[in-house]
Amino acid sequence: MGAFDGPSGGRSTTTPQPEPDERRPSAPPDEKPGRRDPATGREPVLEAKDVSKRFPGVQALDGVSLAVYPGEVHALVGENGAGKSTLIKVFTGVHRPDGGELRYRGRPVAFATPLDAQRSGISTIYQEVNLVPMMSVSRNLLLGREPRNRLGIIDVARMDAEAERILAEYGVRTDVRRPLHTLGVGAQQMVALARAVSIDAKVVIMDEPTSSLEPREVETLFSVIRKLRDTGIAVIYVSHRMEELYRICDRVTVLRDGKLAHTGPLAELERLQLIALMLGRDAAEIGREGLTRFSRDRHVAADAEPVVEARRLRKKHVLRDVSVSVRPGEVVGLGGLLGAGRTETAKAIAGALPIDSGRVLVAGEPLRSGSTASAIRAGVSMLPEDRKAEGIIPTLSVRENIALAALPSLARSGVVSEARIDRIVDTFMRRLRIKAASPHQKVSELSGGNQQKVLLARWLALQPKVLLLDEPTRGIDVGAKAEVQGLIEELAGNGLGVLLISSDLEELVEGSDRIVVLRDGAVVGELTGDEVTEERIMASIAEHSREGD
Amino acid sequence: MAEATAASPRVDRARLRGWLQEYGVYAAVAALLLFNVLFTPHFVDAANVRTQLVQVAPIVIVSLGMALVIGTQGIDLSVGSVMALAAAVVVLYLGYGAVPAILMALLAGALVGAAGGSLVAYVGVQPIVATLALLVGMRGLANVLVPQLEEFRNPDLIALGSGSLAGVPFVVVAAVLLTALVAFLVRRTTFGRQLVAIGGNRAASELSGLPVKRVLLTVYVISGVLAAIAGVLATARLQASDPTSLGLFIELSAITAVVVGGTPLSGGRVRVLGTVMGALLMQLLSATLIKHNLPQSWTQMVQAGIILAAVYATRERGTR
Amino acid sequence: MTDTAMIASAGDGNAPVSPRSERISRLLQHHGALMVLLVLVVVGSVAFDSFATPGNAASIIVSSSFLAIIAIGMTFVIISGGIDLSVGSLYVLGGVLAAYGSQYGFAVALLLPLAVCGAVGLVQGLLIARAGMAPFIVTLAGLLGARGLMLAISDEGATTYLVEDAAFAALGQGSFLGLTYPVYIAIALALAGMVLLQRTGFGQNVYAIGGNEQAAALMGVPVARTKVWIYLMSGLLAGLAGALNAARLSSGVTILGIGLELDVIAAVVIGGTLLTGGAGGLTGTMAGVLLLGVIQSLINQVGTLTSAFQQVVSGAFLALVVIAQRLLGRAQRLS
Amino acid sequence: EENAAAPQPEGTQGAQVVATPTGTSGSTCSLEQFGGEKFDLKNAVVGFSQSEKEANPFRIAETQSIRDEAAKLGIDELRVTNAQSQFSKQITDVQQLIAQGAQLLVIAPLNSDGWEPVLQQAAEKKIPIITIDRKINAEPCKDYLTFIGSDFYEQGKRAADQMIEALGGKGKVAILLGAPGNNVTTERTNGFKDRVKEKAPDIEISFEQTGEFAREKGQQVTEQLIQSNPDINGIYAENDEMALGAVTALKGAGKEPGEIKIVSVDGTRSAVQAIVDGWIHAVVESNPRFGPLAFETAQKFLDGEPIPDTVIISDREYDSSNAESSLSQAY
Ligand SMILES: Nc1ncnc2c1ncn2[C@@H]1O[C@H](COP(=O)(O)OP(=O)(O)OP(=O)(O)O)[C@@H](O)[C@H]1O
Ligand SMILES: Nc1ncnc2c1ncn2[C@@H]1O[C@H](COP(=O)(O)OP(=O)(O)OP(=O)(O)O)[C@@H](O)[C@H]1O
Ligand SMILES: [Mg+2]
Ligand SMILES: [Mg+2]
């Protein structure tokens, strides 16, 4: 069929065509199992040819081809919902493709289950952390490969020691016997990573592995990836973070709306061009308009009364006298490393975490502690960090999910008004550009980025005074990220107070008027004005680390 | 992605499958009706139709409450015992007249529901054990109150059981009204939306400021009251209060009706009409087997087979 | 790479261990039923002279052994996030088949119930794992179907087969140190179950499936196969318990096991296994089984309660036990 | 008021009368044969194991009769357990009674088979067992002392006689069976069917469904029955509760009293009243008042007298001729 090199690569005509020599010659491909990389002469280890996959209402993949070679890091990029995760799941046997062919090590394959794929040497870290929360860290890490004693019985002591050793390589030090869910999301992600890599794999697929990692963990991850590449393992790497792609990836495949938009070496593509390919827009045009980002030129009256004020929040082992305040129209960033207590601070303010002492004032009025309902009534909304566990209601539609928190205000004496719901849902779906087949599509069927937008819509529908955003752009594509950032800007401009938590330092710095730095559950610094830089944040953390140790 | 929704044959098949999932239970009821019309003598007599509807009414009412509870990812095993308790209370207070007696019975149902609901919502006991304790204890309590079957001659209560409105038995009227009420509750009220949200993801609902505990408590209270209503109606029909055997094992029938009707036990969804159809299916099935005079062994095995077939046809399939 | 270590809260350079309170909490949560059991036994011994006698203790233990065997299977089922309502019917079916089979000798008496109950379990497992049907419904159908089958082979329950084989009867009646063989069989099976659950790949898979089925599948757990085994095992154990009971009673009594599934589930859940799956264990289950036996025995000791009051008391007991266990766990977690 | 139905301790109304004082096989058992030791009944620990909840007239009257008689005889240490219809629980109950030091056991068995473990333990300690209302399938005088109760097969036969008479020897009859697997169900069914086959081959038994001994089930099954078999002439209900359920169903369907002949077994007051009202044709009694006879037998045994291995009591019959006058004797 030749689809791999065929016109599908350049079907979107507005995109700048890559140089011809980047693309492999269109020799009749089906004579030999697999073709050779022109540069190295190697055969692809994993290959998709003209693969299609349809979900009810969505053509998630439409004739997509992809070839990955041993010893390369292959970036897979595209907007939210472009089909990246779906393609990966087709590779690993989670979904069965409707059409097309998959080849692995030169032979056609159809993995029946992820287990088959894993056994054959394709190891995957999925977008959502997919581990078992209630099992211990070591059991999660070594599930299926537990060390046995002579009787064939699991040797628990050795298992724990082994797990501790493996995790130490990834910079995770924790009691491996505790249940996984007691770890932060980032640490869980590292466990998943360690698990995937320590399996003897030929191909390692990573679907947005860095979305919940700290900068330092990202470094750890990159050194792992480089090691993998050097030992001849192929890595498929999905991420929305452009700088990362350029640092670590050799080649790139761009998907757009389920179709192949481009494939080729990454170095030859400029960042702007890559974004243009993803968005399906003209590079020059994007260059002119720029991708909307934080403008950093907002001014908040320094003497304005804070709209929300947290005073000496204290919770044993978690928070130590944390005080934060946000004024109307101000974006306050919360900086700190994993486990610093940023999420807990936000949750305590939103009434979702019972605290031992301290109080939260909204517009001067104290909130009843430990009650999300009263916080919401007072105008405090929190976008939770863990979308899957604490955000979406998977059984309900997009519409129901958006309207959920605002229901009481959309109802008269307990009876909901469908018209009012429709109006709100319609407004926000358009304003946030939520991509769904219809408002009645199940939210669990949306791509990660769109789920996040649905959640944002849920909170905005409440017309809050204060918005607490915990990692609002995690797992969101460049376009959407810019939109969300623009939105934050806009909201703040309208007088909303925003508390922003982000592990993306660049975003934090660009977005915040002021940054409060946390470490080990305590405030260790506050940066304002020109002090708001990445270096100062890192310095502030480091300084106190030294003191602390 | 609007252009991607263009129809294709594959989508049609998916839609058909979705349709079967949604309406499979209706098809099953229709099939069973057809069988009976063809092979069961006197099946289409008005009197027979009436008998089937009257007999199914209490199960429908109990199942409605069960559907709500299951929607919140819970389960209520206490419904049968609540029926018995309501039967006991209603004869105890019958001296004050039918209406006060019935109100007391409903109150008793509400209290049992509140007890179960508090255990689940506030103490955090798993629904199945919380309501299991009530299943055991409340049947005992009913028997303490009314140690043996007690006949009554109160004309109002007897009329409730055997009278009719424009040819439709009161019992059936009650079931229809309650079905409409519950359907309204689920579809149109804040409470209904919150209930399914809590069943779908409790943590998220809590963070979204929903009154999770209150909703859970209310759901169990509603289930208790509905079971009490069913108990009163069954008692009125029997013209005797029989706390020993009234509602025995009805929780299993109700759960079956709910699940066969397409409400998943994993919560987050409630199908009211499906539940009614599920109850009807089970009723028609047992009527068919009785009318054809099958021995108990066969009855049970055939029931097992049909339940499996119905649920198999309507099951939610994975992505492949 | 160690310099990039993420320091956990207790970060003191060494691998941090969980705080002691957390461990105590875990212990209590896992062994809440055991604590309540101990309390009840102490209270019972003080309050009633005839409670702590060897005879009474033996009767509690012996009668609990059958429930215990079934509860082992149920523990696996519930940890995997499922439920098995068919055990009560399989128990009586197993007994009737064993008694029927005993006329052909020891082997048939033992193997016939295992084969049939195992087959029912297998079919249930296949329907649940391969066809993706809800365990509650599949096993509810199993409950009906197995009881129907039992009625069919016993002439609508009218025929009670007697155990003909002396060796087989001895399996249920013989005793050692005052306890009958089924007690030792139950203990052996429980120990084997613990090893299977905690120390084998199969056990890990069971926990993983119950904890997060989707993740388990993605982590390479053979979900369907594991589930089939779980239900097969539950069916086998219920059948075995029925067979042993038939040996003890010397006959295939047909009126057994109605509502037994609820007792078994109660025992497992009281034992600290989460009905939502993913957590729990057999130590708790065994404590839960004994707890139910002790509660019954205490009610019998009082001796003056009417049957209705007995039910009220056992319902209240059940509620108290779960509340106590729940609060114990919570208090520890908060501190 | 609740106790109105219970027998008056001093009255002889409705007391059991022994039908076969010497037992069917004629063999007897004495303390010597049994091998136990004599003890004073008054100061002894006596265990009574009831099978089902005291929630129907039969069980209430039965337990009450045992309690009353024990009180009358001045037995302080009467321990009563209730198996709540769970056979396994009954076995454990009796074992625990033994552990509590019971010297005499009175058992109302839930099931005839499966008593092996209890019998072994009792035999070791030489505890005499009197089983009432249902038999235990074991060896009298060795495994247990004696059985006192009705003959359920005979009850079925007598019900058949009543039905045959009511229908004049031909017609269609439906049976409302008791709970499946229950000995009582089996024997009352067999007695009825055998008698019909033998004496009235023109009577066709065209319908048999279980009503599980409960009134509501009896009503529901009858409702189904009269829709699908409108030509039915008679209903044999294996206990009074189901018969009364059938009556409610017939009333609801607009039938006249006596249009369909109902015969049942038990002799509860409501059923006898229904005979008076014309809805039930006849009731065969099954007398639950075992207390006096049981303790009398025990006393005789302890006194060294030989006692029969089976004591069948004579059950009365109620029909329109005697219903009104014997209403007060029904339980
Ligand atoms: N199980 C499913 N059922 C129905 N539709 C689905 C399902 N999974 C994915 N989709 C749809 O397929 C499309 C592609 O989704 P996919 O998850 O592959 O996107 P993605 O590129 O990984 O996006 P993101 O960057 O947000 O993770 C989306 O429109 C999504 O709604
Ligand atoms: N790996 C860990 N080891 C020990 N304790 C941890 C760990 N992860 C989290 N915690 C506990 O949780 C508290 C806050 O963790 P959390 O990860 O929610 O904070 P955070 O700053 O929001 O981090 P992030 O949002 O980046 O995950 C820590 O102070 C600590 O007590
Ligand atoms: Mg994705
Ligand atoms: Mg966080």
Side-chain angles (χ1 to χ4, degrees):
Chain A
M1 317 210 112
F4 188 79
D5 308 298
S8 61
R11 198 173 285 164
S12 322
T13 48
T14 54
T15 57
Q17 293 298 317
E19 301 293 308
D21 59 341
E22 284 172 26
R23 313 177 60 201
R24 272 168 304 285
S26 44
D30 287 327
E31 297 169 358
K32 275 200 307 177
R35 279 136 312 181
R36 291 173 187 284
D37 183 348
T40 59
R42 287 171 307 178
E43 282 183 4
V45 54
L46 186 63
E47 196 178 5
K49 285 188 187 175
D50 206 14
V51 163
S52 297
K53 174 73 194 170
R54 184 172 182 84
F55 294 115
V58 187
Q59 186 74 40
L61 293 176
D62 185 358
V64 173
S65 300
L66 172 74
V68 197
Y69 297 87
E72 76 165 353
V73 182
H74 194 115
L76 181 61
V77 298
E79 280 187 284
N80 290 134
K84 305 179 293 291
S85 300
T86 306
L87 180 59
I88 288 170
K89 288 181 179 168
V90 165
F91 271 133
T92 57
V94 176
H95 296 315
R96 183 167 298 166
D98 303 331
E101 191 191 21
L102 299 173
R103 305 182 81 95
Y104 176 59
R105 301 173 83 179
R107 248 175 271 123
V109 286
F111 298 115
T113 62
L115 178 64
D116 285 352
Q118 188 178 311
R119 286 222 181 104
S120 316
I122 302 179
S123 173
T124 312
I125 308 164
Y126 294 91
Q127 184 167 7
E128 319 280 345
V129 178
N130 265 302
L131 294 172
V132 184
M134 272 182 292
M135 282 173 86
S136 75
V137 174
S138 58
R139 286 176 191 248
N140 263 294
L141 184 65
L142 295 171
L143 183 70
R145 307 174 284 129
E146 300 88 352
R148 310 293 169 103
N149 65 15
R150 261 169 298 133
L151 298 170
I153 282 171
I154 295 174
D155 185 337
V156 175
R158 236 171 75 208
M159 178 174 71
D160 288 344
E162 172 111 1
E164 229 153 75
R165 186 186 59 71
I166 295 177
L167 285 180
E169 281 180 36
Y170 294 87
V172 180
R173 287 156 167 260
T174 181
D175 179 358
V176 294
R177 284 165 300 180
R178 57 195 279 175
L180 181 87
H181 68 86
T182 58
L183 261 54
V185 181
Q188 292 187 26
Q189 186 74 6
M190 290 307 265
V191 175
L193 175 79
R195 175 182 164 78
V197 172
S198 56
I199 289 171
D200 183 26
K202 297 277 176 297
V203 180
V204 176
I205 303 177
M206 302 182 181
D207 194 352
E208 300 198 38
T210 56
S211 62
S212 46
L213 297 189
E214 292 292 330
R216 287 199 292 190
E217 294 168 317
V218 173
E219 293 309 318
T220 312
L221 172 69
F222 282 2
S223 59
V224 172
I225 294 180
R226 286 193 196 100
K227 248 196 263 169
L228 293 175
R229 182 183 58 192
D230 295 345
T231 51
I233 291 169
V235 177
I236 299 181
Y237 188 89
V238 180
S239 179
H240 292 296
R241 295 185 181 172
M242 291 296 143
E243 5 26 295
E244 287 176 3
L245 299 180
Y246 280 92
R247 283 189 51 201
I248 196 80
C249 299
D250 307 313
R251 297 198 319 132
V252 64
T253 293
V254 183
L255 295 184
R256 189 167 67 244
D257 285 352
K259 298 187 186 77
L260 184 66
H262 172 79
T263 190
L266 183 61
E268 296 167 17
L269 265 187
E270 285 204 8
R271 190 159 157 162
L272 211 55
Q273 273 181 310
L274 181 61
I275 293 172
L277 278 168
M278 284 167 59
L279 300 183
R281 283 161 66 190
D282 190 46
E285 185 190 322
I286 295 175
R288 262 196 320 279
E289 293 172 8
L291 272 167
T292 341
R293 291 192 155 250
F294 292 119
S295 56
R296 293 218 64 185
D297 53 32
R298 205 168 42 257
H299 301 289
V300 184
D303 54 346
E305 285 297 311
V307 58
V308 66
E309 193 178 358
R311 285 194 194 151
R312 305 182 72 81
L313 303 181
R314 185 187 277 268
K315 183 172 175 66
K316 209 171 158 195
H317 300 311
V318 182
L319 296 177
R320 285 183 276 153
D321 291 332
V322 174
S323 299
V324 191
S325 68
V326 184
R327 283 168 291 183
E330 190 181 29
V331 179
V332 176
L334 270 191
L337 294 183
L338 185 94
R342 298 165 303 172
T343 296
E344 275 68 14
T345 303
K347 280 196 170 173
I349 296 175
L353 180 82
I355 46 175
D356 301 337
S357 69
R359 47 197 210 143
V360 178
L361 304 165
V362 178
E365 295 288 314
L367 281 187
R368 195 152 64 87
S369 101
S371 156
T372 44
S374 79
I376 287 171
R377 265 197 304 279
V380 179
S381 287
M382 185 187 68
L383 182 77
E385 165 183 38
D386 190 341
R387 184 165 60 219
K388 197 170 167 188
E390 305 182 318
I392 62 164
I393 317 276
T395 49
L396 299 185
S397 65
V398 171
R399 180 177 182 274
E400 305 286 333
N401 266 283
I402 292 178
L404 184 66
L407 271 180
S409 63
L410 298 174
R412 196 171 295 133
S413 56
V415 179
V416 294
S417 155
E418 302 295 339
R420 276 199 248 176
I421 292 184
D422 283 336
R423 208 153 51 231
I424 282 234
V425 169
D426 190 53
T427 310
F428 284 102
M429 283 186 73
R430 263 190 286 131
R431 183 161 160 203
L432 301 184
R433 288 189 235 171
I434 295 172
K435 236 188 249 174
S438 94
H440 300 283
Q441 189 176 11
K442 262 198 195 177
V443 77
S444 53
E445 291 169 2
L446 296 195
S447 74
N450 280 302
Q451 292 182 0
Q452 187 75 337
K453 291 189 196 169
V454 167
L455 290 184
L456 256 175
R458 180 191 294 168
W459 294 113
L460 293 177
L462 284 172
Q463 299 179 305
K465 292 195 197 111
V466 189
L467 200 50
L468 315 175
L469 302 173
D470 198 351
E471 307 284 0
T473 60
R474 171 177 293 174
I476 288 195
D477 68 52
V478 272
K481 191 166 178 173
E483 282 168 23
V484 169
Q485 290 169 341
L487 196 71
I488 295 172
E489 184 101 324
E490 182 191 326
L491 293 168
N494 296 342
L496 199 74
V498 177
L499 187 71
L500 177 66
I501 300 175
S502 176
S503 301
D504 184 343
L505 281 187
E506 194 184 337
E507 174 177 274
L508 196 64
V509 165
E510 286 193 14
S512 311
D513 299 312
R514 188 153 61 84
I515 287 182
V516 174
V517 182
L518 295 180
R519 191 190 132 77
D520 282 349
V523 176
V524 293
E526 189 170 330
L527 311 172
T528 48
D530 293 343
E531 297 169 348
V532 179
T533 62
E534 292 184 33
E535 295 73 39
R536 289 297 297 263
I537 297 178
M538 295 311 287
S540 172
I541 294 169
E543 195 177 315
H544 288 273
S545 316
R546 234 176 294 121
E547 278 172 21
D549 287 352
Chain B
M1 213 137 278
E3 75 279 357
T5 54
S8 84
R10 201 170 281 132
V11 179
D12 286 346
R13 212 193 306 144
R15 208 166 279 163
L16 185 77
R17 212 171 56 190
W19 187 89
L20 201 71
Q21 261 169 36
E22 287 290 309
Y23 302 105
V25 59
Y26 298 80
V29 168
L32 204 52
L33 277 177
L34 189 69
F35 172 87
N36 275 303
V37 169
L38 293 180
F39 300 108
T40 307
H42 311 288
F43 189 80
V44 279
D45 291 2
N48 181 54
V49 173
R50 196 184 147 103
T51 298
Q52 306 312 328
L53 290 179
V54 166
Q55 287 198 4
V56 79
I59 302 180
V60 165
I61 295 170
V62 170
S63 304
L64 290 173
M66 187 68 80
L68 296 183
V69 174
I70 289 178
T72 65
Q73 219 176 54
I75 204 148
D76 188 354
L77 296 182
S78 70
V79 285
S81 299
V82 171
M83 283 178 75
L85 185 63
V89 170
V90 86
V91 289
L92 278 190
Y93 288 90
L94 208 49
Y96 300 95
V99 174
I102 292 174
L103 289 180
M104 287 308 289
L106 301 198
L107 181 67
L111 286 177
V112 179
S118 325
L119 283 179
V120 171
Y122 293 95
V123 187
V125 176
Q126 301 183 51
I128 201 167
V129 248
T131 55
L132 178 62
L134 290 171
L135 170 135
V136 178
M138 288 307 123
R139 172 130 348 236
L141 184 61
N143 265 318
V144 169
L145 295 177
V146 176
Q148 64 169 309
L149 183 140
E150 204 163 302
E151 292 169 9
F152 56 80
R153 307 224 175 271
N154 180 305
D156 297 336
L157 197 56
I158 290 179
L160 179 66
S162 36
S164 48
L165 184 76
V168 186
F170 286 135
V171 183
V172 178
V173 173
V176 171
L177 286 181
L178 288 170
T179 304
L181 198 69
V182 170
F184 178 79
L185 202 65
V186 170
R187 302 229 176 106
R188 298 301 309 274
T189 65
T190 326
F191 173 78
R193 304 281 167 100
Q194 292 177 335
L195 176 165
V196 285
I198 291 168
N201 186 342
R202 181 164 170 174
S205 303
E206 242 152 39
L207 284 178
S208 299
L210 306 197
V212 172
K213 293 179 176 164
R214 207 174 65 216
V215 170
L216 282 178
L217 179 66
T218 315
V219 165
Y220 283 88
V221 169
I222 292 177
S223 172
V225 171
L226 286 173
I229 294 176
V232 168
L233 292 178
T235 302
R237 227 171 73 69
L238 191 61
Q239 304 180 7
S241 160
D242 185 5
T244 316
S245 49
L246 184 68
L248 217 52
F249 297 113
I250 201 171
E251 62 280 355
L252 292 184
S253 315
I255 294 167
T256 312
V258 171
V259 175
V260 169
T263 302
L265 280 166
S266 47
R269 191 154 184 234
V270 175
R271 289 189 56 197
V272 177
L273 274 185
T275 299
V276 174
M277 283 298 139
L280 212 52
L281 181 69
M282 300 315 296
Q283 169 66 27
L284 282 176
L285 189 58
S286 90
T288 310
L289 296 168
I290 289 179
K291 282 173 190 292
H292 288 267
N293 200 23
L294 259 71
Q296 187 73 6
S297 53
W298 279 97
T299 306
Q300 295 193 339
M301 287 190 281
V302 171
Q303 267 180 347
I306 302 246
I307 291 174
L308 285 181
V311 176
Y312 182 83
T314 57
R315 90 211 133 111
E316 302 246 348
R317 260 163 269 219
T319 47
R320 33 226 251 87
Chain C
M1 221 180 276
T2 36
D3 55 349
T4 65
M6 111 179 57
I7 312 293
S9 56
D12 52 5
N14 298 319
V17 286
S18 359
R20 194 161 76 224
S21 67
E22 196 180 312
R23 283 210 214 150
I24 295 175
S25 139
R26 249 188 277 166
L27 197 80
L28 264 181
Q29 253 191 306
H30 288 171
H31 303 295
L34 207 57
M35 308 287 164
V36 180
L37 178 64
L38 290 179
V39 171
L40 275 191
V41 168
V42 170
V43 170
S45 314
V46 173
F48 305 102
D49 293 340
S50 53
F51 177 77
T53 58
N56 200 46
S59 89
I60 296 176
I61 294 173
V62 168
S63 64
S64 299
S65 59
F66 304 94
L67 198 65
I69 293 175
I70 305 174
I72 294 169
M74 187 68 86
T75 306
F76 278 81
V77 170
I78 293 184
I79 290 178
S80 79
I83 199 152
D84 189 349
L85 299 181
S86 69
V87 289
S89 294
L90 290 178
Y91 177 66
V92 61
L93 177 64
V96 171
L97 285 170
Y100 175 79
S102 68
Q103 55 186 311
Y104 304 106
F106 183 91
V108 179
L110 195 58
L111 293 181
L112 183 64
L114 290 182
V116 175
C117 296
V120 175
L122 179 71
V123 170
Q124 293 184 148
L126 288 172
L127 286 174
I128 291 163
R130 304 269 177 211
M133 295 168 69
F136 199 99
I137 282 299
V138 171
T139 58
L140 181 61
L143 178 156
L144 288 171
R147 189 162 290 274
L149 189 60
M150 184 278 291
L151 288 176
I153 58 179
S154 66
D155 194 12
E156 300 304 311
T159 304
T160 303
Y161 300 104
L162 298 181
V163 169
E164 309 281 355
D165 187 272
F168 184 66
L171 188 62
Q173 294 167 8
S175 71
F176 176 69
L177 298 178
L179 297 174
T180 52
Y181 293 155
V183 174
Y184 298 99
I185 296 176
I187 293 173
L189 286 172
L191 290 175
M194 285 173 200
V195 172
L196 189 64
L197 200 51
Q198 302 298 338
R199 297 296 176 90
T200 66
F202 177 77
Q204 299 309 296
N205 292 345
V206 175
Y207 278 107
I209 291 171
N212 183 347
E213 183 169 336
Q214 217 185 339
L218 294 178
M219 286 164 90
V221 170
V223 175
R225 181 153 36 98
T226 306
K227 279 194 186 176
V228 172
W229 275 110
I230 291 171
Y231 287 91
L232 170 61
M233 203 169 94
S234 178
L236 281 174
L237 287 171
L240 175 67
L244 290 176
N245 192 42
R248 172 171 84 129
L249 303 182
S250 279
S251 52
V253 175
T254 55
I255 57 167
L256 290 169
I258 295 173
L260 182 75
E261 57 283 348
L262 291 181
D263 286 345
V264 178
I265 293 168
V268 172
V269 173
I270 287 173
T273 296
L274 284 182
L275 208 65
T276 40
L282 280 168
T283 340
T285 297
M286 293 302 122
V289 169
L290 283 176
L291 200 51
L292 292 185
V294 166
I295 290 174
Q296 273 312 331
S297 177
L298 285 177
I299 290 174
N300 278 350
Q301 292 287 333
V302 178
T304 51
L305 295 175
T306 67
S307 58
F309 255 116
Q310 291 186 12
Q311 272 196 302
V312 176
V313 172
S314 37
F317 249 123
L318 200 55
L320 279 179
V321 168
V322 285
I323 291 173
Q325 190 205 16
R326 178 78 205 151
L327 294 182
L328 269 176
R330 182 187 287 180
Q332 285 301 321
R333 227 169 303 136
L334 288 182
S335 74
Chain D
E1 239 199 43
E2 294 166 18
N3 292 339
Q8 314 300 312
E10 60 282 326
T12 50
Q13 273 188 339
Q16 287 180 337
V17 181
V18 176
T20 53
T22 46
T24 38
S25 58
S27 71
T28 58
C29 187
S30 69
L31 187 59
E32 208 175 328
Q33 277 169 284
F34 187 78
E37 269 172 42
K38 183 180 162 65
F39 55 87
D40 182 10
L41 193 55
K42 213 169 159 244
N43 299 320
V45 180
V46 177
F48 172 53
S49 167
Q50 178 56 283
S51 54
E52 292 169 18
K53 275 197 281 193
E54 286 94 8
N56 63 54
F58 186 93
R59 294 295 164 198
I60 292 173
E62 186 174 39
T63 304
Q64 196 60 44
S65 150
I66 298 278
R67 281 190 196 274
D68 288 346
E69 189 64 16
K72 197 171 133 194
L73 297 176
I75 300 172
D76 296 330
E77 291 267 16
L78 177 72
R79 306 272 171 96
V80 181
T81 62
N82 189 303
Q84 317 262 359
S85 299
Q86 292 167 24
F87 185 64
S88 301
K89 180 170 184 316
Q90 188 165 31
I91 300 284
T92 313
D93 282 350
V94 179
Q95 288 181 327
Q96 294 186 350
L97 287 174
I98 295 175
Q100 288 181 32
Q103 291 160 284
L104 169 70
L105 287 169
V106 180
I107 300 177
L110 191 59
N111 196 58
S112 297
D113 292 299
W115 284 92
E116 200 62 34
V118 164
L119 299 179
Q120 273 179 10
Q121 267 188 0
E124 266 169 36
K125 301 196 170 177
K126 295 282 176 219
I127 304 170
I129 295 177
I130 297 175
T131 81
I132 58 175
D133 90 56
R134 276 175 217 175
K135 216 176 180 139
I136 285 178
N137 288 340
E139 213 175 303
C141 204
K142 177 169 162 285
D143 294 325
Y144 68 97
L145 187 58
T146 181
F147 161 70
I148 307 173
S150 308
D151 183 336
F152 301 125
Y153 183 80
E154 188 62 28
Q155 288 172 347
K157 276 167 85 169
R158 291 167 69 186
D161 286 338
Q162 289 286 356
M163 184 62 83
I164 292 165
E165 177 238 82
L167 298 185
K170 66 181 218 281
K172 286 191 171 177
V173 171
I175 304 181
L176 297 181
L177 302 168
N182 195 308
N183 304 117
V184 182
T185 305
T186 313
E187 290 176 34
R188 286 187 185 160
T189 311
N190 291 344
F192 186 85
K193 283 187 177 171
D194 290 353
R195 190 66 161 189
V196 166
K197 204 184 285 169
E198 169 195 342
K199 297 226 355 217
D202 286 344
I203 288 184
E204 181 196 346
I205 296 172
S206 58
F207 187 91
E208 281 177 67
Q209 286 288 311
T210 178
E212 283 162 15
F213 287 138
R215 190 177 292 199
E216 197 198 15
K217 266 299 242 173
Q219 181 189 13
Q220 289 187 350
V221 171
T222 309
E223 282 172 349
Q224 300 287 5
L225 155 74
I226 50 182
Q227 303 293 346
S228 58
N229 301 40
D231 53 348
I232 210 86
N233 308 106
I235 296 176
Y236 166 46
E238 290 181 354
N239 79 346
D240 285 349
E241 284 303 310
M242 295 190 291
L244 292 165
V247 169
T248 318
L250 295 182
K251 276 187 198 166
K255 302 273 185 206
E256 292 300 317
E259 206 177 319
I260 292 179
K261 308 288 183 205
I262 301 178
V263 175
S264 80
V265 186
D266 261 0
T268 63
R269 191 161 297 186
S270 304
V272 178
Q273 179 64 49
I275 299 179
V276 176
D277 298 344
W279 280 104
I280 294 184
H281 179 73
V283 173
V284 177
E285 189 197 46
S286 191
N287 195 328
R289 293 166 190 129
F290 289 98
L293 203 49
F295 285 110
E296 188 192 310
T297 309
Q299 191 59 58
K300 273 190 196 158
F301 169 73
L302 292 174
D303 291 343
E305 284 180 41
I307 56 163
D309 65 357
T310 307
V311 183
I312 297 295
I313 55 177
S314 86
D315 291 320
R316 281 174 292 186
E317 264 174 35
Y318 301 97
D319 57 24
S320 52
S321 65
N322 66 353
E324 198 145 9
S325 58
S326 18
L327 195 52
S328 60
Q329 290 161 31
Y331 57 92

